[in-house]
Amino acid sequence: MSTTELPASHAQLMDGVYRWQRHIYDLTRKYYLLGRDRLIAGLDVPAGGTVLELGCGTGRNIILAARRYPGARFFGLDISAEMLETATAALAREGLSGRVTLACGDATDFDAKALFGVKSFDRIFVSYSLSMIPGWEKTVFAALAALSPGGSLHVVDFGQQEALPGWFRTLLRGWLRKFHVQPREALRDVLESESARFGASLRFRTLYRGYSWLAVIKIAI
């Protein structure tokens, strides 16, 4: 699939879900998308580095990261044109339009050179997006393939809530289904498999009694 041939059904679904939700997304999600700021703090972007966010949504994360790492260049990819409209406006308000480039595309199959004029990135991060992407395993592969030598992929997403009460897990899963979100039970296995394929190292952490999973895959130099 080329970057211009987006999966229309999923793009339309995301636009439909977030056409109105995008206006209150950041206000509501801060209460349950836990671990995002920890991911940003751990990016440790080198001076002059390049950073790509897959599933950049409203631009919330990329704005915080751009503030934290003022010497870096940032790029954001999302399949929803509605979300990108919100992100573009947010970047303009923050005076970051000149440092952040956004593009509409499929995170499972993208051409960084065609979209951004950049062949590879020092850091790529994915925050609570794998749980919404059909064929999310392809996103992991595509991200690792787009990293520069010595680069790293950072992932935070819903865990399996393994140490939390069963009733909490049931309520959370029911709520998430309303937004077409499905925590990925196989996330750790896939990250381990892809790390081995790329000869990379993996750090995997469980946060908040299994509510969230945080992982970093580092490519060898």
mmCIF file of all heavy atoms in Angstrom, residues 103-125:
data_model
loop_
_atom_site.group_PDB
_atom_site.id
_atom_site.type_symbol
_atom_site.label_atom_id
_atom_site.label_comp_id
_atom_site.label_asym_id
_atom_site.label_seq_id
_atom_site.Cartn_x
_atom_site.Cartn_y
_atom_site.Cartn_z
ATOM 1 N N ALA A 103 1.728 15.031 8.740
ATOM 2 C CA ALA A 103 1.286 14.407 7.493
ATOM 3 C C ALA A 103 0.176 13.410 7.783
ATOM 4 O O ALA A 103 0.134 12.807 8.856
ATOM 5 C CB ALA A 103 2.449 13.713 6.787
ATOM 6 N N CYS A 104 -0.714 13.248 6.825
ATOM 7 C CA CYS A 104 -1.782 12.256 6.926
ATOM 8 C C CYS A 104 -1.275 10.968 6.291
ATOM 9 O O CYS A 104 -0.845 10.960 5.128
ATOM 10 C CB CYS A 104 -3.024 12.753 6.204
ATOM 11 S SG CYS A 104 -4.507 11.782 6.551
ATOM 12 N N GLY A 105 -1.307 9.883 7.031
ATOM 13 C CA GLY A 105 -0.794 8.628 6.505
ATOM 14 C C GLY A 105 -1.121 7.457 7.401
ATOM 15 O O GLY A 105 -1.658 7.615 8.502
ATOM 16 N N ASP A 106 -0.788 6.293 6.925
ATOM 17 C CA ASP A 106 -1.073 5.018 7.585
ATOM 18 C C ASP A 106 0.156 4.571 8.366
ATOM 19 O O ASP A 106 1.213 4.332 7.774
ATOM 20 C CB ASP A 106 -1.453 3.987 6.518
ATOM 21 C CG ASP A 106 -1.718 2.612 7.087
ATOM 22 O OD1 ASP A 106 -1.771 2.470 8.316
ATOM 23 O OD2 ASP A 106 -1.875 1.675 6.286
ATOM 24 N N ALA A 107 0.038 4.450 9.675
ATOM 25 C CA ALA A 107 1.178 4.099 10.520
ATOM 26 C C ALA A 107 1.673 2.681 10.289
ATOM 27 O O ALA A 107 2.780 2.341 10.707
ATOM 28 C CB ALA A 107 0.817 4.276 11.997
ATOM 29 N N THR A 108 0.884 1.855 9.614
ATOM 30 C CA THR A 108 1.332 0.491 9.357
ATOM 31 C C THR A 108 2.192 0.384 8.102
ATOM 32 O O THR A 108 2.826 -0.640 7.865
ATOM 33 C CB THR A 108 0.145 -0.485 9.211
ATOM 34 O OG1 THR A 108 -0.570 -0.199 8.010
ATOM 35 C CG2 THR A 108 -0.796 -0.387 10.401
ATOM 36 N N ASP A 109 2.193 1.444 7.282
ATOM 37 C CA ASP A 109 2.926 1.394 6.009
ATOM 38 C C ASP A 109 3.121 2.822 5.512
ATOM 39 O O ASP A 109 2.236 3.382 4.872
ATOM 40 C CB ASP A 109 2.132 0.576 4.986
ATOM 41 C CG ASP A 109 2.882 0.428 3.667
ATOM 42 O OD1 ASP A 109 4.076 0.762 3.617
ATOM 43 O OD2 ASP A 109 2.257 -0.012 2.688
ATOM 44 N N PHE A 110 4.261 3.408 5.826
ATOM 45 C CA PHE A 110 4.487 4.793 5.439
ATOM 46 C C PHE A 110 5.880 4.957 4.841
ATOM 47 O O PHE A 110 6.797 4.210 5.143
ATOM 48 C CB PHE A 110 4.322 5.733 6.647
ATOM 49 C CG PHE A 110 5.264 5.448 7.787
ATOM 50 C CD1 PHE A 110 6.489 6.103 7.883
ATOM 51 C CD2 PHE A 110 4.931 4.528 8.774
ATOM 52 C CE1 PHE A 110 7.359 5.843 8.935
ATOM 53 C CE2 PHE A 110 5.798 4.260 9.828
ATOM 54 C CZ PHE A 110 7.017 4.922 9.906
ATOM 55 N N ASP A 111 6.008 5.953 3.994
ATOM 56 C CA ASP A 111 7.268 6.285 3.338
ATOM 57 C C ASP A 111 7.741 7.616 3.912
ATOM 58 O O ASP A 111 7.247 8.682 3.524
ATOM 59 C CB ASP A 111 7.057 6.387 1.833
ATOM 60 C CG ASP A 111 8.349 6.637 1.058
ATOM 61 O OD1 ASP A 111 9.297 7.202 1.636
ATOM 62 O OD2 ASP A 111 8.399 6.297 -0.138
ATOM 63 N N ALA A 112 8.659 7.576 4.864
ATOM 64 C CA ALA A 112 9.097 8.785 5.555
ATOM 65 C C ALA A 112 9.700 9.804 4.600
ATOM 66 O O ALA A 112 9.487 11.010 4.741
ATOM 67 C CB ALA A 112 10.102 8.418 6.646
ATOM 68 N N LYS A 113 10.436 9.323 3.610
ATOM 69 C CA LYS A 113 11.077 10.223 2.663
ATOM 70 C C LYS A 113 10.034 10.977 1.848
ATOM 71 O O LYS A 113 10.151 12.197 1.630
ATOM 72 C CB LYS A 113 12.002 9.435 1.736
ATOM 73 C CG LYS A 113 12.836 10.283 0.796
ATOM 74 C CD LYS A 113 13.877 11.090 1.536
ATOM 75 C CE LYS A 113 14.802 11.820 0.573
ATOM 76 N NZ LYS A 113 15.785 12.668 1.263
ATOM 77 N N ALA A 114 9.016 10.267 1.403
ATOM 78 C CA ALA A 114 7.974 10.899 0.605
ATOM 79 C C ALA A 114 7.128 11.857 1.431
ATOM 80 O O ALA A 114 6.739 12.932 0.958
ATOM 81 C CB ALA A 114 7.083 9.832 -0.032
ATOM 82 N N LEU A 115 6.854 11.496 2.659
ATOM 83 C CA LEU A 115 5.987 12.310 3.512
ATOM 84 C C LEU A 115 6.697 13.509 4.107
ATOM 85 O O LEU A 115 6.132 14.605 4.199
ATOM 86 C CB LEU A 115 5.408 11.453 4.641
ATOM 87 C CG LEU A 115 4.366 10.406 4.255
ATOM 88 C CD1 LEU A 115 4.088 9.493 5.434
ATOM 89 C CD2 LEU A 115 3.082 11.082 3.797
ATOM 90 N N PHE A 116 7.924 13.281 4.562
ATOM 91 C CA PHE A 116 8.612 14.308 5.353
ATOM 92 C C PHE A 116 9.947 14.774 4.772
ATOM 93 O O PHE A 116 10.553 15.708 5.290
ATOM 94 C CB PHE A 116 8.876 13.777 6.769
ATOM 95 C CG PHE A 116 7.639 13.340 7.498
ATOM 96 C CD1 PHE A 116 7.428 12.006 7.825
ATOM 97 C CD2 PHE A 116 6.679 14.267 7.876
ATOM 98 C CE1 PHE A 116 6.298 11.599 8.514
ATOM 99 C CE2 PHE A 116 5.533 13.879 8.558
ATOM 100 C CZ PHE A 116 5.339 12.545 8.880
ATOM 101 N N GLY A 117 10.429 14.095 3.745
ATOM 102 C CA GLY A 117 11.750 14.412 3.235
ATOM 103 C C GLY A 117 12.865 13.955 4.150
ATOM 104 O O GLY A 117 13.999 14.432 4.050
ATOM 105 N N VAL A 118 12.545 13.027 5.032
ATOM 106 C CA VAL A 118 13.512 12.483 5.994
ATOM 107 C C VAL A 118 13.541 10.974 5.834
ATOM 108 O O VAL A 118 12.487 10.321 5.842
ATOM 109 C CB VAL A 118 13.126 12.851 7.442
ATOM 110 C CG1 VAL A 118 14.069 12.204 8.443
ATOM 111 C CG2 VAL A 118 13.121 14.363 7.623
ATOM 112 N N LYS A 119 14.719 10.405 5.708
ATOM 113 C CA LYS A 119 14.826 8.965 5.466
ATOM 114 C C LYS A 119 14.631 8.147 6.735
ATOM 115 O O LYS A 119 14.023 7.072 6.712
ATOM 116 C CB LYS A 119 16.193 8.648 4.848
ATOM 117 C CG LYS A 119 16.380 7.186 4.478
ATOM 118 C CD LYS A 119 17.727 6.950 3.814
ATOM 119 C CE LYS A 119 17.909 5.477 3.461
ATOM 120 N NZ LYS A 119 19.226 5.226 2.818
ATOM 121 N N SER A 120 15.159 8.646 7.869
ATOM 122 C CA SER A 120 15.063 7.898 9.120
ATOM 123 C C SER A 120 15.071 8.871 10.287
ATOM 124 O O SER A 120 15.357 10.058 10.127
ATOM 125 C CB SER A 120 16.217 6.896 9.245
ATOM 126 O OG SER A 120 17.472 7.571 9.261
ATOM 127 N N PHE A 121 14.795 8.341 11.486
ATOM 128 C CA PHE A 121 14.611 9.182 12.669
ATOM 129 C C PHE A 121 15.447 8.657 13.834
ATOM 130 O O PHE A 121 15.675 7.462 13.965
ATOM 131 C CB PHE A 121 13.133 9.211 13.068
ATOM 132 C CG PHE A 121 12.216 9.644 11.965
ATOM 133 C CD1 PHE A 121 11.685 8.708 11.084
ATOM 134 C CD2 PHE A 121 11.906 10.985 11.791
ATOM 135 C CE1 PHE A 121 10.846 9.100 10.050
ATOM 136 C CE2 PHE A 121 11.066 11.387 10.752
ATOM 137 C CZ PHE A 121 10.535 10.450 9.892
ATOM 138 N N ASP A 122 15.834 9.590 14.711
ATOM 139 C CA ASP A 122 16.568 9.198 15.915
ATOM 140 C C ASP A 122 15.638 8.615 16.970
ATOM 141 O O ASP A 122 16.036 7.731 17.736
ATOM 142 C CB ASP A 122 17.303 10.412 16.505
ATOM 143 C CG ASP A 122 18.344 10.958 15.549
ATOM 144 O OD1 ASP A 122 19.273 10.208 15.207
ATOM 145 O OD2 ASP A 122 18.210 12.123 15.128
ATOM 146 N N ARG A 123 14.423 9.113 17.016
ATOM 147 C CA ARG A 123 13.430 8.616 17.964
ATOM 148 C C ARG A 123 12.078 8.520 17.260
ATOM 149 O O ARG A 123 11.704 9.410 16.490
ATOM 150 C CB ARG A 123 13.283 9.544 19.170
ATOM 151 C CG ARG A 123 14.550 9.804 19.955
ATOM 152 C CD ARG A 123 14.967 8.592 20.771
ATOM 153 N NE ARG A 123 16.116 8.888 21.598
ATOM 154 C CZ ARG A 123 17.391 8.714 21.215
ATOM 155 N NH1 ARG A 123 17.653 8.235 20.003
ATOM 156 N NH2 ARG A 123 18.389 9.000 22.024
ATOM 157 N N ILE A 124 11.365 7.446 17.565
ATOM 158 C CA ILE A 124 9.973 7.309 17.132
ATOM 159 C C ILE A 124 9.171 6.911 18.362
ATOM 160 O O ILE A 124 9.613 6.064 19.142
ATOM 161 C CB ILE A 124 9.814 6.250 16.025
ATOM 162 C CG1 ILE A 124 10.589 6.667 14.758
ATOM 163 C CG2 ILE A 124 8.330 6.044 15.683
ATOM 164 C CD1 ILE A 124 10.538 5.645 13.634
ATOM 165 N N PHE A 125 8.022 7.543 18.551
ATOM 166 C CA PHE A 125 7.196 7.122 19.688
ATOM 167 C C PHE A 125 5.742 6.947 19.279
ATOM 168 O O PHE A 125 5.253 7.576 18.339
ATOM 169 C CB PHE A 125 7.365 8.060 20.890
ATOM 170 C CG PHE A 125 6.824 9.462 20.737
ATOM 171 C CD1 PHE A 125 5.573 9.804 21.240
ATOM 172 C CD2 PHE A 125 7.587 10.457 20.145
ATOM 173 C CE1 PHE A 125 5.092 11.100 21.152
ATOM 174 C CE2 PHE A 125 7.121 11.755 20.049
ATOM 175 C CZ PHE A 125 5.861 12.082 20.552
#
